[in-house]
Amino acid sequence: MPLAFGPTDRGILPDRMIAALTSSGGIITAVPLADDQIQPASLDLRLGEVAYRVRASFLPGPRASVAQRIDSLKLHEIALGDGAVLETGCVYIVPLLESLALPADLGAAANPKSSTGRLDVFTRVIADAARSFDRIDPGYHGPLYLEISPRTFPVLVREGSRLAQMRFHRGRDLVIGDDLTALHAQERLVDEEGADLVDGVAVGVDLAGFGPDALVGYRAKHHTGLIDVDRRARYEVGEYWEPLRANRSRTLILDPDEFYILASKQAVQVPPDYAAEMVPFDPLVGEFRVHYAGFFDPGFGVDEAGGGGSRAVLEVRSHEVPFIIEHGQTVGRLVYERMLAQPDQLYGEGIGSNYQAQGLKLSKHFRP
């Protein structure tokens, strides 16, 4: 049976509704879903059997399919099968194992998974006739593709690897203005007095340092070995990352085209009836980009799911010029949106979540 909604129902679909959408044919899978593929408020997307190296990134536009654009732009075809290496500085398009036949009142949005962003692997979902990346119009029927561009580390992927995730929504129900102020008063979304709640919860960067070594973050090394995206706790941190420590001025100069892992000054949480997304605090500030992987699931950081307040880990890349950031400087905003219903399982609540109760933490691929 298809999902049924009331005329005023708006918000993000929780896990059981994503399962129902799959059962009713709204999500079509070439291979049955894995048991852990549905998250509290999203669906992990899996790579298909082939990757196409293309000359450049693209959007198909309203009169073309992605397959047509691949045919005109592809340089090489790579069978993923049991594994293939995607090199840095290249752009690949991979058909996904999931496609969509959405009802007219449901749309979708995609984002890299947290572990993907922390490896500096740039990904975007593309749909046929799309005018933008990572956004799927209500009622879309068709295949899905993932653009992949490793920026720092070459990565080993295979059919079934999960680099991106997708949320499904009926309309939008953002929590803004007085509603956000009231939610913060009730739930304490961020552990900071006088929190800035304009256009979302302001998130600053921590440059005071963690632990006895005053660690503030990591800068990625160049010319490293590859990383198998499906292997956990396999790689030594020192072979891939340079640790960064606090200085007296509690500042950090971001060098052009370097990649950094930092952490938020504030501990944040996402109540069970809400989901959140990290967005740039000001699109006019173009000197750096923060947070490639922006989805925060219901239960992130909450006590009942084992969080106790969790830092937001920030994936940061500077652009054309060196740029100095200071301790506490606002680098992003956490925008909250209501769920259509509370999920059956919260983030971190016995579902193998990797980053609950996190401080400054690299991706799951590195040994603690």
Side-chain angles (χ1 to χ4, degrees):
M1 294 294 292
L3 288 167
F5 300 103
T8 61
D9 288 344
R10 292 183 301 160
I12 295 171
L13 273 63
D15 44 16
R16 63 183 176 277
M17 291 186 185
I18 297 173
L21 185 62
T22 304
S23 299
S24 64
I27 300 169
I28 303 165
T29 61
V31 177
L33 293 181
D35 291 340
D36 62 345
Q37 200 172 335
I38 297 177
Q39 301 297 317
S42 63
L43 174 71
D44 289 349
L45 301 174
R46 300 168 297 177
L47 302 184
E49 62 184 7
V50 64
Y52 301 96
R53 183 179 170 187
V54 294
R55 287 184 287 155
S57 175
F58 64 86
L59 278 169
R63 291 180 295 276
S65 70
V66 177
Q68 289 170 332
R69 298 302 304 274
I70 290 174
D71 283 342
S72 65
L73 292 170
K74 70 180 179 182
L75 300 172
H76 185 55
E77 184 174 325
I78 305 166
L80 298 184
D82 294 329
V85 176
L86 305 185
E87 301 287 353
T88 58
C90 299
V91 180
Y92 303 88
I93 306 295
V94 181
L96 296 173
L97 293 178
E98 291 76 31
S99 58
L100 300 177
L102 294 177
D105 59 348
L106 290 183
N111 232 305
K113 289 179 62 64
S114 293
S115 294
T116 306
R118 296 185 201 195
L119 292 179
D120 199 20
V121 177
F122 187 63
T123 71
R124 300 188 288 197
V125 169
I126 317 174
D128 286 345
R131 297 175 182 266
S132 61
F133 296 104
D134 286 336
R135 294 293 181 266
I136 309 299
D137 290 336
Y140 174 75
H141 284 224
L144 298 172
Y145 301 80
L146 191 66
E147 176 190 314
I148 307 171
S149 182
R151 303 295 303 276
T152 297
F153 310 121
V155 293
L156 179 65
V157 303
R158 55 188 57 80
E159 182 178 357
S161 293
R162 309 177 196 177
L163 300 183
Q165 57 193 335
M166 179 166 282
R167 283 180 175 171
F168 301 88
H169 55 81
R170 187 174 192 270
R172 304 304 299 267
D173 197 6
L174 300 176
V175 186
I176 57 177
D178 291 342
D179 288 345
L180 183 61
T181 301
L183 180 61
H184 176 59
Q186 178 181 341
E187 300 285 354
R188 193 168 174 80
L189 302 175
V190 59
D191 67 339
E192 181 177 56
E193 296 298 330
D196 179 354
L197 304 177
V198 177
D199 298 325
V201 177
V203 174
V205 63
D206 191 314
L207 295 178
F210 293 83
D213 295 331
L215 188 69
V216 298
Y218 298 90
R219 179 166 49 212
K221 293 183 176 181
H222 297 281
H223 314 298
T224 67
L226 63 80
I227 294 175
D228 186 330
V229 300
D230 296 320
R231 297 293 183 93
R232 297 190 182 201
R234 180 180 178 91
Y235 304 101
E236 294 291 343
V237 171
E239 294 180 7
Y240 294 83
W241 299 96
E242 174 191 353
L244 303 173
R245 310 195 188 282
N247 56 35
R248 289 184 179 179
S249 64
R250 299 200 298 183
T251 61
L252 176 65
I253 296 177
L254 303 176
D255 292 320
D257 292 323
E258 297 288 342
F259 182 68
Y260 301 82
I261 295 292
L262 307 172
S264 67
K265 176 186 174 186
Q266 303 88 352
V268 302
Q269 66 168 325
V270 182
D273 292 325
Y274 298 83
E277 182 176 2
M278 183 76 76
V279 300
F281 83 99
D282 185 351
L284 298 179
V285 177
E287 287 84 356
F288 62 94
R289 172 177 175 164
V290 173
H291 227 282
Y292 289 69
F295 286 167
F296 288 70
D297 273 347
F300 180 87
V302 302
D303 288 336
E304 63 191 90
S310 297
R311 304 292 183 103
V313 168
L314 309 171
E315 302 109 18
V316 180
R317 175 177 284 280
S318 187
H319 293 319
E320 291 84 2
V321 297
F323 187 75
I324 189 168
I325 56 174
E326 302 177 349
H327 177 65
Q329 181 173 339
T330 299
V331 292
R333 291 190 181 275
L334 205 54
V335 176
Y336 288 77
E337 188 167 355
R338 293 177 180 87
M339 300 288 296
L340 274 164
Q342 184 173 318
D344 289 341
Q345 287 193 293
L346 300 178
Y347 183 87
E349 196 176 53
I351 60 172
S353 305
N354 295 298
Y355 307 116
Q356 187 68 296
Q358 70 182 354
L360 175 65
K361 190 172 183 179
L362 295 171
S363 72
K364 65 185 179 183
H365 308 95
F366 299 96
R367 297 189 183 110

